[in-house]
Amino acid sequence: MAEIKQVMVPDIGGYKDVSIIEVMVKVGDTVKAEDNLVTLETDKAAMEVPSPYAGVIKEMKVKVGDKVSQGSLILLLESSDAAGVPQNSQPAVQPAPAPATAPVAAPVAVAPAVVQTSQPAAAGAPVKDTPPAPRPSGGLGAAPLLHSDPSAGKAHASPAIRRFARELGVQVAQVKGSGEKGRVTKDDVQLFVKAALAQPRGATGGNGLQVLAMPVVDFAKFGAIETRPLSRIKKISGANLHRNWVTIPHITQFDEADITEMDAFRKELGVEYAKQNIKITPLAFMVKAVVVALQQFPEFNASLDASGENLVFKQYFHIGVAVDTPDGLMVPVLRDVDKKGIVQIAKELGEISARAREKKITAAEMQGGCFTISSLGGIGGTAFTPIINAPELAILGVSKAIIKPMHQDDTFVARLMLPLSLSYDHRVIDGAAAARFIVFLSQVLADTRRLAL
Ligand code: CAO
């Protein structure tokens, strides 16, 4: 049978004339037992008064700003739960685990005092026939902490608002309060979320990048257009390139290697191995020379671990080679290059680049690289700034070798000069180390006997 019940302020640890800072319900609302009804606040803490019964709110007896003490009538409720909650029982408020350092003014939950009337709802006005029974709450100091929000002690917001904010993933401390004494209101949290959603894609707060949104341009306004989707490879590699470009501090060091002798030797080998269908390009020498340089400078054959605080030095020498395919860039990896000769490397390079162009490279074949070479030498250009293939620490860009006049022994001589562009992760590699690396690499390429060292 429905009954009208009076819900009163419970034992609040002896505090008197405590402000009501929030009223969560209104007449006509249906509440469940333990739904919060009002929030009270002293100068030390905020506390919520949960409903002891399920039912419908019939009359509000308080409003925001009212001062109440233990026993003050909060509201009348038509209970749909005849059994209700025993007067002195602890409400089933589940306190969240307390933060390691509990904020001084952390909100607490208290049980309401309830007066149950014996009058049926139809009989009209409720009758207060028993005094409010104080619940065995430990009062403000002993009550459990309700929230683990680390901002709880700083921002001025009721527990309900904190919970609302938490549900939306908002830290109350970040929200500017527009309420009394700078209190954060529900509207403030909603405005905060709206503002966050309105930020451009890719923009983040805190330590992230704050970038302008890309302009949305109607290209068709300026002429005929055709829209084609990016290839799957470009979508995947694009995301990786973007991450690497914006998260790694790149520096690119340039040099030129005199490969006159090397190229003469390469041509000799080329004639010899053409019968076996092995094409020997300058790249095979570069792959080998890079490994010799990596052995000399182990820092370049390393990666940062996930913590970013340790360098992982690799004892193996797997070299990635960027291959231009009709669908986009792929980087298959040649394994254990230190154990292979130029001809073997050239053979594998031919095979792996052909398979990449036929889309026959597996994901496993593109993993485990220590260092990448990107060669545009077969196409042209004088230099470029390759993007590091993280978690590797450096990448070598190779451009087209051309014959140049070089000054030697008081005269100019024609030499075949190979442009090199070494991009490196400046968090790990110093400029001097990079210069030493590229100079050493140039020396190895200039004197192929060094490949055997
Ligand atoms: N200088 C001058 N000539 C060069 C050269 C260089 N640095 N590198 C290659 N060549 C010559 C070769 O000797 C070959 O000459 P011939 O046809 O007369 O024999 C010609 O250029 C074509 O070489 P290639 O490109 O077929 O072979 P490669 O071994 O040099 O490169 C591969 C193989 C797969 C790396 C290459 O084909 C490729 O895809 N390159 C593009 C990589 C890329 O897109 N990088 C950019 C990534 S963005 O960072």
Side-chain angles (χ1 to χ4, degrees), residues 259-274:
I259 58 165
T260 314
E261 270 84 42
M262 185 207 89
D263 206 52
F265 178 45
R266 176 186 75 83
K267 282 179 176 150
E268 278 175 34
L269 280 179
V271 173
E272 209 174 307
Y273 284 92

Side-chain angles (χ1 to χ4, degrees), residues 241 259 263 266 279-284 286 321-325 329-330 349-350 352-354 357 373-379 384-387 395 397-402 416-419:
L241 287 166
I259 58 165
D263 206 52
R266 176 186 75 83
K279 187 173 174 184
I280 302 189
T281 64
L283 188 56
M286 272 169 301
V321 176
V323 177
D324 176 34
T325 80
L329 198 63
M330 296 183 86
L349 267 175
I352 211 163
S353 50
R357 285 176 178 134
I373 301 179
S374 176
S375 174
L376 293 172
I379 302 169
F384 61 107
T385 54
I387 297 177
I395 181 169
V398 182
S399 298
K400 189 174 179 65
I402 56 163
L416 183 62
M417 304 302 292
L418 177 72

Side-chain angles (χ1 to χ4, degrees), residues 17 24 49 98 121 141 153 162 165 182 222 227 282 297 301 370 421 429 433:
D17 296 329
M24 287 89 138
V49 180
R162 288 179 194 285
F222 306 106
T227 304
F297 299 91
N301 200 46
C370 306
S421 310
I429 296 168

Side-chain angles (χ1 to χ4, degrees), residues 198-203 210-217:
Q199 285 205 19
R201 262 179 86 196
Q210 296 286 352
V211 291
L212 281 179
M214 283 290 174
V216 180
V217 177

Side-chain angles (χ1 to χ4, degrees), residues 14-35:
Y15 282 88
K16 299 224 180 320
D17 296 329
V18 174
S19 294
I20 292 191
I21 58 165
E22 194 176 13
V23 176
M24 287 89 138
V25 291
K26 59 184 184 315
V27 171
D29 281 358
T30 300
V31 293
K32 298 191 293 295
E34 293 169 22
D35 277 358

Side-chain angles (χ1 to χ4, degrees), residues 150-373:
S151 64
K154 297 174 200 145
H156 217 37
S158 75
I161 295 301
R162 288 179 194 285
R163 189 179 307 114
F164 178 62
R166 213 170 38 242
E167 281 166 7
L168 297 176
V170 173
Q171 285 203 351
V172 176
Q174 293 185 345
V175 183
K176 193 169 170 0
S178 65
E180 200 187 335
K181 294 185 198 159
R183 182 183 309 287
V184 175
T185 65
K186 194 172 180 183
D187 282 351
D188 295 333
V189 176
Q190 283 169 333
L191 282 172
F192 182 87
V193 172
K194 276 186 196 162
L197 289 174
Q199 285 205 19
R201 262 179 86 196
T204 57
N207 299 323
L209 294 169
Q210 296 286 352
V211 291
L212 281 179
M214 283 290 174
V216 180
V217 177
D218 178 8
F219 300 103
K221 270 195 345 197
F222 306 106
I225 59 164
E226 182 199 344
T227 304
R228 293 184 201 161
L230 281 178
S231 71
R232 203 179 131 266
I233 293 176
K234 281 198 175 158
K235 282 184 192 159
I236 296 169
S237 63
N240 285 311
L241 287 166
H242 185 212
R243 178 202 58 204
N244 298 349
W245 180 244
V246 300
T247 61
I248 300 173
H250 282 67
I251 306 277
T252 305
Q253 172 69 57
F254 304 99
D255 200 5
E256 283 183 327
D258 183 339
I259 58 165
T260 314
E261 270 84 42
M262 185 207 89
D263 206 52
F265 178 45
R266 176 186 75 83
K267 282 179 176 150
E268 278 175 34
L269 280 179
V271 173
E272 209 174 307
Y273 284 92
K275 295 168 218 143
Q276 294 179 37
N277 235 357
I278 299 174
K279 187 173 174 184
I280 302 189
T281 64
L283 188 56
F285 285 84
M286 272 169 301
V287 170
K288 189 69 187 173
V290 157
V291 169
V292 173
L294 292 177
Q295 288 169 327
Q296 187 75 15
F297 299 91
E299 206 180 19
F300 286 77
N301 200 46
S303 286
L304 282 168
D305 72 2
S307 74
E309 293 183 3
N310 303 297
L311 265 190
V312 180
F313 290 86
K314 295 156 202 168
Q315 317 279 311
Y316 50 86
F317 298 89
H318 303 337
I319 305 299
V321 176
V323 177
D324 176 34
T325 80
D327 290 320
L329 198 63
M330 296 183 86
V331 187
V333 175
L334 298 182
R335 313 267 150 190
D336 299 313
V337 177
D338 54 319
K339 301 187 177 87
K340 292 172 181 167
I342 301 287
V343 177
Q344 176 67 20
I345 295 168
K347 186 168 175 273
E348 288 187 19
L349 267 175
E351 287 167 0
I352 211 163
S353 50
R355 288 205 298 117
R357 285 176 178 134
E358 290 161 16
K359 297 188 195 170
K360 288 184 181 157
I361 292 285
T362 64
E365 287 177 292
M366 293 192 281
Q367 290 167 1
C370 306
F371 184 102
T372 296
I373 301 179

